[in-house]
Amino acid sequence: MAGPGPYPSRRSVLAAGTGVAAAGLPARLGENHGSRAARNTPAAAPAALTPQQQAGQRVVFSYSGTTVPQSLLTQISSGQAAGVIFFGDNISSLAQITSAVQQIRQANRSSPSPAPLLLMTDQEGGQIRRLPGAPALSAKQIGASADPAGAAADAGTGAGNLLRSVGMNINLAPVLDVYRSAGDFEDQYQRSYSTDAEVVSVCGRAFIAAQRATGVASAAKHFPGLGSASAAQNTDLRSVTLTATLAELRNIDEIPYVSALTAGAELVMVSWAVYSHLDAAHPAGLSPTVVQSELRDRFTFTGVTITDAIGAGALSSLGTSSQNAVAAAAAGMDLVLDSSGDVSHGQSIVTALAGALQNGTLDQTASLAAVGRISALRGRLF
């Protein structure tokens, strides 16, 4: 349990814009976008990385408790970690987590890739807050307020300033899912701004722009949208298939991403649901159709893609976390998020990715391009 309210964290689950139209996508959506050639250019990747280090640059680790394990510090100092995600059980006070983050940053200074680590948490607002503090309002309260854009901007500023104060530089927010009915998956915890895609667009854009102004990056989620999921369709727990039509996805669920990417969202988290009208055979984060054709090509997104928790129940029947991490990387995901709270699990994922690079399962050029995007993002952060 992280933060106030009954919403389970990823770990606790695993352990127990007016006028925006889908047909009107611009050729370029902002500074995170560009041509396919640009997306496949690995020039920004750190030079002379071993396969193990190259793999490690694509994995976000987690740990349990309030003490940073030595194994994680060693992993970081050896250049085999992209970053760390923090949950409620890692945080006893702002002073304590600030000290932990400083310790992690210190370990990174001796890394062969010493650019700032990706240090992240879920500070959405309302019930979904890992750190005590802003934003107090939930997404739903913001969307229903008299001035949704203003309230969303205040939330983005509050979240960004709070994360920056403890040394974190990425917020896994905002949620851009457009919920459908009262009490459904996103609405039961008030994580969605609205049933109106335009309201979600306005709020998402304002949150991202305001948070970005604090120096903290945003991860828009969960592409292409979990708004049609029922209350029981929780990908943390089980496989989920969403039958929203292509027209529904394009005209409702994906609409907020147009504004979000234009506003400068640095990362996009891809859903673990199966979308039967996009790719009926694979969860979105394991689907080249969703990651490459829909997100990279249709939206011309050249920022960093990040998985949801690689140990999620939605993937449990498909293989181990390590096997699914390789599949996600092959599908085009840049960062693999391990939320297990066990450093050894993250290390196993790094080893699996390195092995897949060495045996040709993963394409070396595509992997270097992914590391290049991650490295470029790290270089822009504090």
Side-chain angles (χ1 to χ4, degrees):
M1 181 67 194
Y7 184 76
S9 70
R10 291 184 183 90
R11 176 182 303 155
S12 66
V13 169
L14 295 172
T18 301
V20 175
L25 282 174
R28 294 176 63 83
L29 292 175
E31 64 182 30
N32 289 330
H33 314 283
S35 67
R36 180 186 289 269
R39 293 198 300 278
N40 291 330
T41 299
L49 294 177
T50 67
Q52 197 81 4
Q53 288 170 332
Q54 188 182 141
Q57 294 292 301
R58 301 181 67 175
V59 179
V60 176
F61 282 76
S62 60
Y63 64 96
S64 295
T66 56
T67 300
V68 183
Q70 182 58 49
S71 58
L72 177 56
L73 298 175
T74 300
Q75 190 78 19
I76 290 168
S77 63
S78 66
Q80 297 183 42
V84 180
I85 182 171
F86 300 93
F87 289 96
D89 75 317
N90 301 131
I91 302 164
S92 61
S93 68
L94 294 182
Q96 172 270 323
I97 192 60
T98 299
S99 177
V101 169
Q102 289 173 343
Q103 189 178 9
I104 288 168
R105 285 181 176 271
Q106 180 62 40
N108 189 52
R109 292 191 179 98
S110 59
S111 165
S113 299
L117 289 169
L118 306 177
L119 303 173
M120 63 189 69
T121 195
D122 301 273
Q123 194 74 4
E124 298 173 16
Q127 297 178 36
I128 320 303
R129 290 178 290 168
R130 313 307 186 197
L131 291 162
L137 295 181
S138 69
K140 186 175 184 178
Q141 288 172 320
I142 290 170
S145 68
D147 178 12
D154 288 344
T157 299
N161 285 336
L162 178 60
L163 265 64
R164 188 180 183 100
S165 74
V166 300
M168 298 183 198
N169 52 23
I170 292 178
N171 190 2
L172 298 177
V175 171
L176 297 183
D177 301 331
V178 184
Y179 85 95
R180 301 301 201 271
S181 59
D184 65 14
F185 175 67
E186 291 296 8
D187 184 56
Q188 62 186 321
Y189 303 112
Q190 299 193 12
R191 300 178 74 197
S192 172
Y193 290 111
S194 179
T195 58
D196 184 334
E198 179 55 27
V199 173
V200 177
S201 296
V202 168
C203 292
R205 176 172 62 235
F207 185 101
I208 290 164
Q211 184 167 264
R212 197 168 195 241
T214 71
V216 172
S218 299
K221 60 187 183 185
H222 311 77
F223 187 87
L226 285 173
S228 63
S230 69
Q233 289 183 303
N234 184 343
T235 57
D236 280 348
L237 298 175
R238 60 185 64 86
S239 61
V240 171
T241 296
L242 299 179
T243 58
T245 66
L246 191 58
E248 190 177 356
L249 289 168
R250 295 273 169 85
N251 290 297
I252 299 175
D253 295 290
E254 292 184 353
I255 289 296
Y257 287 90
V258 179
S259 295
L261 300 188
T262 302
E266 300 276 9
L267 304 95
V268 172
M269 178 179 284
V270 182
S271 161
W272 284 139
V274 174
Y275 295 81
S276 58
H277 290 279
L278 280 174
D279 182 349
H282 304 94
L286 303 184
S287 169
T289 298
V290 175
V291 179
Q292 300 289 355
S293 299
E294 198 73 3
L295 180 56
R296 292 287 188 205
D297 293 342
R298 185 165 181 271
F299 282 84
T300 61
F301 178 62
T302 59
V304 173
T305 53
I306 182 170
T307 71
D308 207 336
I310 197 66
L315 306 183
S316 59
S317 66
L318 303 179
T320 65
S321 292
S322 294
Q323 290 168 332
N324 290 327
V326 172
M333 298 301 298
D334 295 331
L335 284 169
V336 175
L337 179 62
D338 177 53
S339 298
S340 67
D342 187 334
V343 175
S344 68
H345 286 191
Q347 291 169 328
S348 295
I349 290 169
V350 172
T351 298
L353 291 173
L357 272 173
Q358 291 172 301
N359 67 25
T361 300
L362 290 179
D363 179 76
Q364 177 74 8
T365 300
S367 181
L368 283 174
V371 174
R373 288 187 290 269
I374 295 163
S375 178
L377 172 60
R378 290 174 62 179
R380 293 194 294 271
L381 298 175
F382 64 89

